[in-house]
Amino acid sequence: LGLGGGAMVSGLHHKCHARSSFRHRRASTGVQGCVITAVEIDPNMVRIARQLFLGVDGAGADMGAGIADGMANENAVKFVVADATNYVLHDAQEGGFDVVINDVYDQQGVMPPRLRDARFYGDVRRLLGAGGLYIVNAIAPAWGPGTGRGDLSVAVAAMCEAFGKENVEVKRTGPFLPGFPQNQLVVGTKRLDKKISEYYNLA
């Protein structure tokens, strides 16, 4: 959720798609490898990302100048021009995702209030398969006070409410300087019901 310039999509594709193509197949679609759905509200950002990182124009024609050469594969990367909230609530397939990453910020660097609400976290949880991850990128210091610290606390509290405290962790990134905002990843895991896990010996 939130494409920006497409750097995250490019990185995920190169690290995950080719490596998983031979061992990961979705039973519902038969598609192999890591399939990425990039949701972005601004069509201009989608166009720029396709040009810079995929080497294709808005119509899908190969421009031959992509930073991520060979990435223009519609089976591997799907672009959706939509509001993230509307997509999650109305368009996304329930249980159809292994990982959802929330990196939605406005021009002032603020995440929209609706996406910070615990109810939205619960809506995202419905989209995950068993063992799926919801990852929220919170811009905040790794420790100590500073800009974004409150946003990190809000993200952790909302994730705990939606996923259960025992299923939430924060992956901190450096440099570990007090008051220096960095990408802190709040991760919630959708666990199977304990009784189901025990019944199928998955615990």
Side-chain angles (χ1 to χ4, degrees), residues 20-34:
S20 65
S21 293
F22 299 104
R23 65 173 185 256
H24 184 95
R25 180 190 294 271
R26 277 201 169 276
S28 59
T29 63
V31 176
Q32 288 181 283
C34 174

Side-chain angles (χ1 to χ4, degrees), residues 26-42:
R26 277 201 169 276
S28 59
T29 63
V31 176
Q32 288 181 283
C34 174
V35 180
I36 300 170
T37 301
V39 181
E40 169 61 47
I41 195 171
D42 187 348

Side-chain angles (χ1 to χ4, degrees), residues 125 130 190-203:
R125 189 180 185 278
K190 183 176 182 178
R191 306 288 186 189
L192 284 171
D193 180 89
K194 186 176 181 181
K195 292 183 178 179
I196 295 177
S197 299
E198 292 174 348
Y199 180 83
Y200 288 101
N201 196 28
L202 298 174

Side-chain angles (χ1 to χ4, degrees), residues 102 105 109-111 115-117 121 134-161 168-173 176-177 179-188:
N102 184 351
Y105 287 91
V110 178
M111 183 174 290
L115 274 66
R116 292 156 47 94
D117 192 282
Y121 284 60
Y134 180 36
I135 303 172
V136 175
N137 182 26
I139 311 300
W143 58 278
T147 301
R149 188 68 183 178
D151 294 335
L152 177 60
S153 298
V154 168
V156 171
M159 193 74 81
C160 287
E161 182 175 335
V168 177
E169 58 181 323
V170 178
K171 299 289 186 180
R172 303 183 186 278
T173 66
F176 298 101
L177 302 175
F180 191 85
Q182 288 290 300
N183 297 314
Q184 312 303 334
L185 305 179
V186 183
V187 183

